[in-house]
C-alpha cells in the first residue's frame, strides 16, 4: 500500500512582497514531476464523485492516471473530450466547491483532497506549449449547417468549439475588439494570463471557428438578420451591466464600477499607461465594496497600481464571503485590509467634486433570508468615515439590454435574463438557444461552459431534425 | 481593419474622414456614434457618425484634435487603416415631422448636427440651423448644412463671419420671430447648458447630445453615467441624446475632467515624440 501525503503537493507562488507590485501570475504551476507526485495521491475511485460534481463531467481519475504514468498527451486528449478551455478552468474554477469538495481522499480525516484544478492546469499548459494546433482542424467535409454564436465568453467559445467538432460552420460575434468576454476584460493577468486566454482561443479557432470582433448584435447586425442567415444561434452575452448601489455621491470623480476599473486594466492595459493610451486614476486610498471574486480582483489590481492602502468593505462576515478562499488568502498576503459587517451609505467629496471618503455604517447579522444567509442589518449610530480617493463598487452585474431591447419577441424572466430550459438551452423562439450568465445571472466560468456543452448537443439535434422535416404541401 | 478612403482637413485642427465600414454604414441613423481604436496600444474613443453611405459602405467621421488619440488620427490619411471600429452605437434621434425645428451646432458639434439637420429636413420639417464657432474658419460644413436648411444663421465670437456673438443670441432672435416646435443643440457642454437655459425660458423643448468619457460604449461599464431627471443613465446605451432640461450639467461637466492631467501628459509626450521622429 502506497503511503499518501496528507497534504497537497506544494505549488510555487510568487512572493507576496514582490507580486503586489506586478501583474505577473501569482501561482506558478506544477512541474511535471510535482504533478506526478500529486497524481499518485488520487485513489482512482470506481464511482468517482469528483466527476459528478464537475459541471462538464471530466474523467478526472482518467487524466490523473495518465499524468501519473507520465503520458501528458493522453492526459490532454482525455481533457479535450470534455472541455475546450482547461487552462482557464484549471485556474479559475472554484474547485473547493466542486470536484475537490467531494474527493474521497479529502473526506478522510486529516487529508486534503487531490489538487485536481492544479493538475488540470498542468496538463492544459503542457498542451498549449506542445500541441500542434493544425492537427485540430476538422476534415473539410460538407458542413451540416451554419450556427451564429453571440458573445465570445466561456459559454460561447464552448458551444463554438463543440459545434465545430461536430462539423458545423460556426461564426462567433463579439462586441469588443478582443474575444474572451470576462476572461479578457474581467479576470486580471495575475490570476489568468492573457497569453493563456489567447492561446486557448486560438485552439478553438484552429477547429475552424470564425470569430468576428467589433460586432454588436442588435446594432451592427439585428437578431432578425441572424435568424434569417443561420440555421440556429446561441446567445451568450453574459451579465455585463454593472449594478450601482445608488447611494449619494455615486457620480463623484473617483467612483468606479468594478467593470470599468477592470476593463481599463485588463482589456485596455491602463496599468501600462502611458505606453498604452488608456488612463486610470493613480490612487492612494482605495475602498472596494463587495465580497466576491470581482471585489478581490479589483482590490488586488489597485494595490498593484501602487495604492498605499486598499481595503474591502463587506456587509457580512468572512464566513459568508462569496469569493474563492484561495483568492481571499492571496489578498490578505498582499496587505488588503477588511472591514467586515460594514456597508457604505454615502460617498463624500471636497468642493471640486473629487471623492475624499466613504461614509459607512456597521452591520449586524439578523434573520436568515430566503437564500439561507443571515441578513445584515445596520446598527444605529455606528457611522464612520473611511478616507478614500477611489472607490470601486463590485456588487454584481445584471443583464445588458442592448441585444434584448431590440429583440422583444424573446421571453425574459422577471429579473431580465433570458428564459431558457436549463436542460436544453432552448428559448421561447425555435432555433434560438441561450446559456451562461445571460440565463443564470452572474455565475462561474465552468457553469457557463457546462451550459454551452449542453446547448451544443441540443443545437445539433435541432438542426438535424429541422433538415429532416419533410416539406408538406397544404391541400 | 477599417480603411480610410478620404481625409480632408477642414480647419487647423479639424478633419473630415470617410472610412470603409459596410455594416455600420448600412445601419447608421442620425444621432448614433462609433467607438474606434487606432492600433494595438490605442484607447477606445467615441465619435459621432456625421454621415453614412450604405451603397458604397462608408461612414463619415469629423473630429477635432484635442488630445493624443485625435492628434494621431489626424495624421492618418487616405489608404491608412484603423484597427477597430464598432457601431452604430447609442439610440438614434427621433426623426419625424415636428413642424418647425431649430438646430444649433457649436464648433466640431456642427458635424454631429449635420445628419440630424438632414434627417429632419427630409422628414418634412421647416429647418432653422444655427452654426456657431470662435472664428469664420471654424464654421465647418456650412454649405452642407445650408443645403438641408430653410434658414441658416452663423455666429462667430469675433464677428469674422455672420453675426458677432453667441448662438444663444441667435436663438433668441429666431424665437422672437416665429414659433418653434422642437430644438436640438450639440457642441461644448457649456454651450449646450446655455442653449438649454435659453430654450427653457421660452418653454421650447430641447435635446442635447452628451459626450461623456466612454470605454466600451455598449453599456457594460457605466463610465459614461449621467444623471438625467434625478436618475442614473448610461449615455452610450440610453443616450447620447437627452432632454437638455433633465441633464445635471454641473455633475456632467465635473466628470469630463477626470483624466485631465493624464490626457495633457499623454499629448505632450506624443508631440515631443513627433518632433523627435519627424522634426
Amino acid at each position: 500500500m502506497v503511503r499518501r501525503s496528507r497534504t497537497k503537493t506544494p505549488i510555487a507562488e510568487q512572493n507576496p512582497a514582490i507580486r503586489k507590485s506586478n501583474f505577473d501570475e501569482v501561482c506558478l504551476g506544477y512541474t511535471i514531476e510535482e504533478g506526478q507526485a500529486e497524481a499518485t495521491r488520487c485513489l482512482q475511485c470506481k464511482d468517482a464523485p469528483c466527476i459528478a460534481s464537475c459541471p462538464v463531467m471530466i474523467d478526472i481519475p482518467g487524466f490523473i492516471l495518465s499524468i501519473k504514468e507520465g503520458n501528458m498527451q493522453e492526459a490532454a486528449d482525455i481533457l479535450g473530450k470534455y472541455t475546450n478551455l482547461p487552462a482557464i478552468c484549471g485556474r479559475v474554477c472554484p474547485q473547493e466547491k466542486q470536484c475537490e469538495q467531494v474527493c474521497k481522499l479529502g473526506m478522510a480525516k486529516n487529508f486534503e483532497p487531490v489538487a485536481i484544478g492544479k493538475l488540470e492546469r498542468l496538463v492544459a499548459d503542457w498542451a498549449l506549449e506542445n500541441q500542434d494546433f493544425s492537427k485540430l482542424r476538422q476534415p473539410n467535409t460538407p458542413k451540416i449547417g451554419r450556427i451564429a454564436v453571440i458573445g465570445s465568453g466561456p459559454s460561447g467559445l464552448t458551444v463554438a468549439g463543440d459545434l465545430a467538432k461536430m462539423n458545423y460552420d460556426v461564426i462567433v460575434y463579439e462586441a469588443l475588439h478582443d474575444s474572451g468576454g470576462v476572461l479578457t476584460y474581467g479576470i486580471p493577468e495575475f490570476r489568468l494570463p492573457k497569453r493563456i486566454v489567447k492561446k486557448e482561443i486560438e485552439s478553438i479557432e484552429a477547429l475552424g471557428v470564425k470569430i468576428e470582433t467589433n460586432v454588436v448584435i442588435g446594432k451592427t447586425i439585428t437578431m432578425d438578420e441572424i435568424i434569417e442567415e443561420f440555421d440556429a444561434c446561441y446567445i451568450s452575452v453574459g451579465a455585463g451591466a454593472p449594478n450601482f448601489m445608488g447611494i449619494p455621491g455615486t457620480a463623484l470623480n473617483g467612483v468606479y464600477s468594478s467593470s470599468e476599473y477592470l476593463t481599463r486594466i485588463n482589456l485596455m492595459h491602463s496599468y501600462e499607461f502611458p505606453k498604452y493610451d488608456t488612463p486610470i486614476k493613480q490612487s492612494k486610498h482605495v475602498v472596494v465594496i463587495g465580497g466576491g471574486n470581482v471585489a478581490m480582483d479589483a482590490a488586488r489590481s489597485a494595490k498593484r497600481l501602487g495604492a498605499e492602502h486598499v481595503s474591502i468593505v463587506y456587509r457580512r462576515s468572512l464566513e459568508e464571503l462569496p469569493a474563492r478562499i484561495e483568492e481571499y488568502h492571496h489578498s490578505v498576503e498582499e496587505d488588503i485590509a477588511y472591514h467586515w459587517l460594514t456597508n457604505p451609505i454615502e460617498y463624500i467629496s471636497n468642493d471640486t467634486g473629487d471623492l475624499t471618503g466613504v461614509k459607512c455604517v456597521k452591520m449586524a447579522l439578523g434573520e436568515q433570508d430566503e437564500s439561507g444567509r443571515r441578513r445584515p442589518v445596520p446598527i444605529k449610530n455606528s457611522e464612520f468615515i473611511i478616507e478614500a480617493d477611489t472607490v470601486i463598487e463590485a456588487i454584481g452585474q445584471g443583464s445588458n439590454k442592448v441585444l434584448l431591447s431590440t429583440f422583444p419577441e424573446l421571453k425574459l424572466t422577471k429579473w431580465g435574463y433570458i428564459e431558457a430550459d436549463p436542460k436544453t438551452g432552448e428559448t421561447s423562439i425555435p432555433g434560438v438557444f441561450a446559456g451562461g450568465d445571460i440565463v443564470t445571472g452572474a455565475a462561474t466560468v465552468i457553469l457557463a461552459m457546462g451550459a454551452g456543452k449542453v446547448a451544443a448537443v441540443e443545437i445539433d439535434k435541432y438542426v438535424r431534425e429541422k433538415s429532416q422535416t419533410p416539406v408538406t404541401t397544404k391541400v | 481593419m477599417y480603411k480610410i478612403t478620404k481625409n480632408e482637413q477642414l480647419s487647423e485642427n479639424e478633419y473630415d474622414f470617410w472610412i470603409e465600414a459596410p455594416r455600420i454604414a448600412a445601419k447608421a441613423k442620425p444621432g448614433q456614434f462609433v467607438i474606434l481604436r487606432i492600433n494595438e496600444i490605442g484607447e477606445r474613443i467615441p465619435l459621432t457618425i456625421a454621415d453614412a453611405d450604405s451603397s458604397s459602405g462608408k461612414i463619415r467621421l469629423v473630429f477635432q484634435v484635442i488630445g493624443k488619440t485625435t492628434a494621431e488620427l489626424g495624421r492618418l490619411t487616405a489608404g491608412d487603416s484603423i484597427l477597430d471600429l464598432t457601431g452604430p452605437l447609442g439610440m438614434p434621434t427621433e426623426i419625424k415631422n415636428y413642424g418647425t425645428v431649430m438646430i444649433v451646432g457649436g464648433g466640431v458639434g456642427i458635424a454631429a448636427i449635420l445628419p440630424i439637420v438632414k434627417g429632419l429636413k427630409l422628414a418634412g420639417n421647416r429647418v432653422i440651423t444655427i452654426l456657431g464657432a470662435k472664428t469664420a474658419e471654424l464654421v465647418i460644413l456650412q454649405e452642407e448644412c445650408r443645403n438641408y436648411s430653410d434658414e441658416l444663421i452663423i455666429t462667430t465670437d469675433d464677428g469674422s463671419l455672420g453675426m458677432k456673438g453667441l448662438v444663444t443670441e441667435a436663438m433668441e432672435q429666431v424665437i422672437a420671430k416665429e414659433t418653434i416646435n422642437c430644438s436640438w443643440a450639440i457642441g461644448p457642454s457649456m454651450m449646450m447648458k446655455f442653449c438649454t437655459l435659453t430654450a427653457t425660458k421660452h418653454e421650447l423643448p430641447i435635446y442635447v447630445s452628451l459626450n461623456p468619457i466612454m470605454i466600451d460604449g455598449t453599456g457594460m461599464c457605466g463610465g459614461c453615467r449621467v444623471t438625467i431627471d434625478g436618475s442614473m443613465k448610461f449615455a452610450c446605451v440610453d443616450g447620447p441624446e437627452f432632454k437638455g432640461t433633465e441633464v445635471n450639467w454641473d455633475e456632467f461637466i465635473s466628470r469630463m475632467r477626470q483624466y485631465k492631467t493624464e490626457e495633457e501628459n499623454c499629448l505632450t509626450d506624443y508631440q515631443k515624440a513627433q518632433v523627435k521622429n519627424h522634426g
Side-chain angles (χ1 to χ4, degrees):
Chain A
M1 167 93 190
V2 196
R3 265 187 73 96
R4 286 183 170 79
S5 163
R6 286 178 185 276
T7 53
K8 290 178 178 176
T9 309
I11 197 158
E13 282 180 355
Q14 260 203 86
N15 182 329
I18 295 167
R19 74 177 192 237
K20 69 184 181 188
S21 54
N22 70 46
F23 275 84
D24 299 339
E25 194 170 17
V26 168
C27 175
L28 303 174
Y30 281 142
T31 61
I32 291 186
E33 293 69 35
E34 287 165 346
Q36 283 181 302
E38 181 63 17
T40 59
R41 295 180 68 234
C42 175
L43 299 169
Q44 292 293 318
C45 311
K46 283 240 155 51
D47 300 315
C50 52
I51 300 180
S53 67
C54 166
V56 296
M57 298 191 61
I58 293 175
D59 174 9
I60 292 167
F63 90 82
I64 291 182
L65 184 63
S66 302
I67 300 175
K68 188 175 146 186
E69 291 170 350
N71 196 340
M72 296 301 281
Q73 184 61 57
E74 191 181 85
D77 291 343
I78 294 172
L79 278 183
K81 272 189 219 160
Y82 303 92
T83 164
N84 295 320
L85 305 166
I88 290 161
C89 286
R91 286 174 167 83
V92 304
C93 271
Q95 289 100 5
E96 68 276 13
K97 289 176 189 159
Q98 294 173 343
C99 53
E100 293 181 20
Q101 188 178 34
V102 297
C103 172
K104 281 191 189 164
L105 183 69
M107 299 290 189
K109 202 179 171 198
N110 296 330
F111 273 87
E112 283 181 359
V114 176
I116 301 169
K118 301 284 191 275
L119 289 174
E120 179 184 25
R121 168 190 163 151
L122 168 69
V123 176
D125 285 1
W126 177 89
L128 288 179
E129 285 303 319
N130 296 286
Q131 200 151 300
D132 178 5
F133 284 173
S134 65
K135 279 190 191 151
L136 295 174
R137 184 161 287 284
Q138 301 302 295
N140 204 3
T141 48
K143 301 291 180 193
I144 304 169
R146 294 184 79 220
I147 313 294
V149 174
I150 304 164
S152 70
S155 200
L157 290 174
T158 300
V159 165
D162 280 8
L163 287 169
K165 286 181 194 164
M166 293 180 206
N167 200 25
Y168 282 88
D169 206 358
V170 186
I171 300 183
V172 180
Y173 293 109
E174 167 58 47
L176 289 173
H177 60 254
D178 258 345
S179 48
V182 75
L183 308 171
T184 297
Y185 72 76
I187 305 174
E189 185 77 21
F190 55 82
R191 231 159 43 87
L192 182 62
K194 300 308 151 215
R195 70 184 158 76
I196 298 287
V197 178
K198 280 213 161 70
K199 270 198 169 174
E200 207 130 74
I201 292 173
E202 279 169 24
S203 76
I204 287 171
E205 287 176 301
L207 296 167
V209 170
K210 284 190 274 305
I211 301 179
E212 292 194 25
T213 54
N214 297 321
V215 179
V216 184
I217 302 298
K219 296 281 185 187
T220 317
I221 299 177
T222 63
M223 275 307 291
D224 288 346
E225 289 167 313
I226 294 281
I227 291 168
E228 173 79 29
E229 286 168 30
F230 291 88
D231 295 300
C233 75
Y234 182 68
I235 304 177
S236 47
V237 294
N243 294 335
F244 284 93
M245 297 195 66
I247 59 178
T250 304
L252 291 173
N253 290 338
V255 180
Y256 285 94
S257 73
S258 55
S259 310
E260 179 185 352
Y261 199 74
L262 291 172
T263 299
R264 283 179 181 273
I265 292 172
N266 300 320
L267 181 70
M268 306 310 298
H269 286 252
S270 60
Y271 62 96
E272 295 183 74
F273 180 86
K275 185 182 152 199
Y276 283 75
D277 292 336
T278 305
I280 193 157
K281 193 174 165 169
Q282 292 299 308
S283 323
K284 277 194 171 144
H285 299 275
V286 178
V287 171
V288 179
I289 318 286
N293 288 317
V294 178
M296 305 290 133
D297 288 344
R300 297 172 68 197
S301 296
K303 193 83 197 178
R304 283 161 170 78
L305 282 169
E308 286 163 21
H309 195 259
V310 181
S311 60
I312 288 181
V313 165
Y314 181 52
R315 61 195 183 126
R316 291 186 165 98
S317 57
L318 174 58
E319 217 174 294
E320 294 87 16
L321 197 75
R324 291 192 66 193
I325 201 71
E326 179 182 348
E327 305 308 328
Y328 165 73
H329 287 310
H330 280 151
S331 75
V332 172
E333 287 170 358
E334 291 164 13
D335 294 335
I336 309 292
Y338 282 79
H339 295 275
W340 303 111
L341 290 162
T342 303
N343 214 24
I345 49 173
E346 187 184 347
Y347 301 126
I348 46 183
S349 69
N350 57 18
D351 49 14
T352 59
D354 296 315
L355 181 81
T356 55
V358 181
K359 190 191 258 185
C360 295
V361 62
K362 297 296 281 179
M363 310 291 277
L365 290 177
E367 298 290 302
Q368 283 188 358
D369 63 14
E370 54 280 9
S371 73
R373 291 194 299 180
R374 292 174 66 197
R375 194 191 295 276
V377 285
I379 299 171
K380 266 187 193 156
N381 302 321
S382 67
E383 287 86 359
F384 67 105
I385 288 168
I386 307 172
E387 184 185 356
D389 52 13
T390 296
V391 67
I392 305 161
E393 287 197 3
I395 56 157
Q397 296 92 239
S399 78
N400 188 316
K401 300 291 185 295
V402 171
L403 183 152
L404 304 178
S405 64
T406 59
F407 190 35
E409 306 91 303
L410 189 67
K411 223 168 149 185
L412 304 182
T413 66
K414 64 176 172 178
W415 298 282
Y417 296 110
I418 296 176
E419 202 173 284
D421 184 336
K423 290 199 194 77
T424 62
E426 286 172 298
T427 68
S428 59
I429 295 175
V432 177
F433 295 76
D437 286 3
I438 190 57
V439 170
T440 58
T444 61
V445 169
I446 189 71
L447 283 173
M449 285 182 54
K453 288 209 88 69
V454 167
V457 173
E458 296 298 323
I459 289 170
D460 176 49
K461 219 190 276 175
Y462 168 84
V463 175
R464 284 174 188 277
E465 275 169 18
K466 194 174 75 168
S467 59
Q468 277 162 15
T469 310
V471 180
T472 50
T473 322
K474 271 184 187 165
V475 186
Chain B
M1 298 288 275
Y2 300 82
K3 200 166 137 194
I4 297 163
T5 58
K6 194 180 154 209
N7 166 10
E8 190 187 332
Q9 188 162 4
L10 297 179
S11 72
E12 193 192 341
N13 273 322
E14 290 165 306
Y15 295 85
D16 183 356
F17 274 23
W18 281 90
I19 304 180
E20 273 175 10
R23 280 176 175 161
I24 303 175
K27 295 280 161 41
K29 293 196 178 72
Q32 292 189 297
F33 65 97
V34 290
I35 294 261
L36 68 81
R37 188 171 75 130
I38 301 176
N39 53 35
E40 283 293 340
I41 59 165
E43 61 179 338
R44 295 167 65 97
I45 63 159
L47 288 175
T48 304
I49 303 169
D51 202 350
D53 179 17
S54 58
S55 61
S56 68
K58 289 170 194 161
I59 61 163
R60 183 185 193 181
L61 302 176
V62 175
F63 61 92
Q64 184 182 9
V65 172
I66 51 162
K68 188 203 165 181
T69 298
T70 43
E72 212 177 349
L73 199 59
R75 290 187 66 92
L76 299 180
T77 183
D80 290 339
S81 292
I82 56 168
L83 186 57
D84 298 297
L85 191 60
T86 313
L89 299 170
M91 301 301 285
T93 302
E94 198 181 340
I95 300 288
K96 61 176 189 187
N97 194 339
Y98 295 85
T100 303
V101 294
M102 175 164 67
I103 308 158
V104 187
V108 75
I110 295 171
I113 65 159
L114 177 61
I116 299 173
V117 168
K118 191 173 161 184
L120 288 171
K121 180 64 201 165
L122 297 177
N125 290 279
R126 172 172 157 73
V127 177
I128 300 169
T129 304
I130 301 171
L131 307 181
K134 280 190 185 124
T135 67
E137 61 151 13
L138 296 176
V139 186
I140 56 172
L141 310 173
Q142 275 174 60
E143 288 318 305
E144 285 175 85
C145 287
R146 195 182 306 277
N147 287 343
Y148 296 101
S149 304
D150 294 276
E151 198 180 326
L152 184 86
I153 302 166
I154 293 171
T155 71
T156 47
D157 293 0
D158 62 359
S160 53
L161 184 68
M163 59 182 272
K164 181 175 158 61
L166 301 171
V167 288
T168 45
E169 294 164 39
M171 283 175 76
E172 291 282 7
Q173 287 182 9
V174 172
I175 293 166
K177 71 180 167 70
E178 64 184 298
T179 307
I180 307 291
N181 303 100
C182 197
S183 66
W184 281 261
I186 306 178
S189 355
M190 276 303 171
M191 183 207 100
M192 293 194 284
K193 180 180 169 176
F194 282 96
C195 288
T196 297
L197 294 175
T198 305
T200 311
K201 194 168 79 185
H202 300 282
E203 292 176 350
L204 168 63
I206 184 162
Y207 290 93
V208 296
S209 181
L210 299 183
N211 54 340
I213 295 169
M214 287 186 190
I215 303 110
D216 62 288
T218 60
M220 59 162 268
C221 86
C224 67
R225 62 191 187 273
V226 288
T227 303
I228 304 296
D229 197 21
S231 66
M232 188 197 299
K233 300 282 179 198
F234 293 176
C236 71
V237 290
D238 301 315
E241 212 168 88
F242 295 102
K243 282 181 183 152
T245 45
E246 296 183 347
V247 175
N248 182 330
W249 289 103
D250 295 342
E251 177 192 294
F252 175 70
I253 292 165
S254 167
R255 283 184 64 80
M256 291 291 281
R257 56 165 183 81
Q258 281 180 87
Y259 297 99
K260 207 161 170 274
T261 321
E262 288 88 346
E263 284 161 1
E264 282 165 3
N265 293 344
C266 208
L267 178 62
T268 315
D269 288 352
Y270 174 73
Q271 285 163 339
K272 276 186 198 154
Q274 286 298 310
V275 172
K276 208 171 137 196
N277 296 336
H278 305 286

